[in-house]
Amino acid sequence: MLDELIFTILMLILPTVLWIVPKTRRNNGNWLIALKTVPLGIIALFWSDELLAKIARDISERQERDFEFPIWIALAVTLIAAFLVIILGGLFIKRKFGTEKKYNPGPSILLFLLFLPPAFLCLLILHFACSLSNELSIDHGRVQRNSESKADWRTAWLPREENTGIAFQEQPIHPFLAEYNYRLRFSRDGEQSYQFLLTNTGGRTLFNLYRLKDRRLLFRDKGWDYLVDVRGPECRVFRLEIFEDKLYAARIPNEIIDSWSGPMRENGEIVMEMGGQTVPAEDVTGILDGMTYYGCIEDHFYPAEQKPEQKIQKMFEED
């Protein structure tokens, strides 16, 4: 939000100066009118796009499925908003400080097309700078990743399971590297709950999703296999690991987890360490037999008929 406010203020500087200076306030040729109104049109384009994005997010929340406006609607709405502000602003200036020449919106439209690319480049730079400020902290000259990320959670909606809405959410934790906090969001009977997954410390988001014979779900990415169980009164998520040729499941603590270890024996039991907690593991050998692929998660959820199963190379596997 900070980058958006700074961008708006920067766009307002030129028309504000031209309105404050008496000479330029009264001297209103078509090119001068363009300099006064085009920055306002760019602001209108940007904030109308933000409004459409918010409406799309609200619709997604209510319907519990991904929703986006078609690109032609987004383009039409934002451009109409921009040109309305520019042209109506020009007509207002001409009426208030009338001159002999008739108002011609042509210079304003041309200037709008010329100003738009550098304006969005400015916005990208501001976004990067604010992300860098939010996500990194400086400690004795060293750059450290801030685990308390302030970035928004991006949501990918999945099909409902057992009368439960499921959404996968990721939160960027680095301004330019592909590092994310992950969590699952469950909604049932009007109530919501969240379960954090292990932090992705590097690499793009890609999960293959599978349905097991007992209706539980398997989420598989390059790092981990997660068993997701929404059949009972409580939604539960387990980490799966092979140890001594058997498959074990350990329930994941519900916190941001950026440290872990593999399965090990402790006092005669198999356990896994996650986020400083030692969690008992259960032998679940055979539960993955007969599982079926039903979709994947990238920027959105894609059902199997849209994207076929992709090979996932585990981090700790050899080629």
Side-chain angles (χ1 to χ4, degrees), residues 223-243:
W224 318 106
D225 285 356
Y226 300 100
L227 180 65
V228 178
D229 189 353
V230 297
R231 299 173 303 172
E234 184 181 9
C235 300
R236 302 180 298 168
V237 181
F238 301 82
R239 170 186 164 195
L240 299 180
E241 292 281 356
I242 294 176
F243 183 67

Side-chain angles (χ1 to χ4, degrees), residues 16-266:
T16 301
V17 170
L18 294 176
W19 273 98
I20 290 175
V21 177
K23 184 177 180 180
T24 53
R25 183 170 63 246
R26 294 184 176 87
N27 183 4
N28 286 295
N30 288 317
W31 284 103
L32 196 57
I33 289 177
L35 291 174
K36 292 178 180 179
T37 59
V38 165
L40 303 181
I42 292 175
I43 292 173
L45 181 141
F46 171 74
W47 283 107
S48 61
D49 182 68
E50 288 291 301
L51 179 60
L52 286 179
K54 184 182 186 307
I55 293 173
R57 289 194 298 268
D58 290 344
I59 294 174
S60 296
E61 287 284 337
R62 289 197 297 269
Q63 298 182 350
E64 293 190 350
R65 63 179 181 85
D66 289 324
F67 174 85
E68 288 184 350
F69 288 103
I71 186 65
W72 67 269
I73 290 181
L75 283 173
V77 170
T78 54
L79 288 174
I80 289 172
F83 290 140
L84 277 176
V85 168
I86 291 171
I87 294 173
L88 292 179
L91 291 172
F92 169 79
I93 292 171
K94 274 294 186 182
R95 178 173 296 179
K96 187 172 182 62
F97 304 102
T99 62
E100 295 180 358
K101 292 183 179 180
K102 187 177 180 181
Y103 172 58
N104 178 9
S108 295
I109 294 173
L110 178 60
L111 208 62
F112 172 80
L113 297 175
L114 293 175
F115 275 20
L116 199 57
F120 275 92
L121 178 60
C122 172
L123 182 60
L124 288 175
I125 293 172
L126 286 172
H127 178 72
F128 175 81
C130 290
S131 297
L132 187 65
S133 175
N134 285 339
E135 304 299 335
L136 298 180
S137 60
I138 307 300
D139 181 18
H140 302 299
R142 293 180 302 160
V143 178
Q144 297 181 336
R145 185 160 55 94
N146 182 0
S147 61
E148 297 287 336
S149 176
K150 299 177 183 178
D152 292 334
W153 290 87
R154 298 193 292 251
T155 302
W157 294 97
L158 280 62
R160 292 184 68 86
E161 297 285 337
E162 306 290 338
N163 199 33
T164 301
I166 304 176
F168 171 83
Q169 296 185 312
E170 66 177 15
Q171 181 190 46
I173 55 177
H174 196 283
F176 49 86
L177 297 180
E179 298 184 359
Y180 306 97
N181 288 327
Y182 288 152
R183 71 183 183 187
L184 295 178
R185 170 181 159 179
F186 303 104
S187 57
R188 180 189 292 175
D189 298 328
E191 297 185 357
Q192 297 177 359
S193 61
Y194 297 87
Q195 170 64 58
F196 285 96
L197 307 180
L198 277 64
T199 297
N200 176 4
T201 57
R204 73 183 182 95
T205 296
L206 171 60
F207 282 82
N208 280 345
L209 274 58
Y210 303 87
R211 192 186 306 280
L212 309 188
K213 290 188 296 184
D214 61 7
R215 305 297 295 174
R216 287 184 288 183
L217 302 176
L218 175 72
F219 285 56
R220 171 172 288 167
D221 78 340
K222 66 182 183 304
W224 318 106
D225 285 356
Y226 300 100
L227 180 65
V228 178
D229 189 353
V230 297
R231 299 173 303 172
E234 184 181 9
C235 300
R236 302 180 298 168
V237 181
F238 301 82
R239 170 186 164 195
L240 299 180
E241 292 281 356
I242 294 176
F243 183 67
E244 296 178 347
D245 297 325
K246 293 183 178 180
L247 184 65
Y248 288 89
R251 188 168 181 181
I252 301 175
N254 196 11
E255 61 186 40
I256 293 179
I257 301 172
D258 54 11
S259 65
W260 50 79
S261 68
M264 56 186 173
R265 288 191 179 274
E266 186 177 273

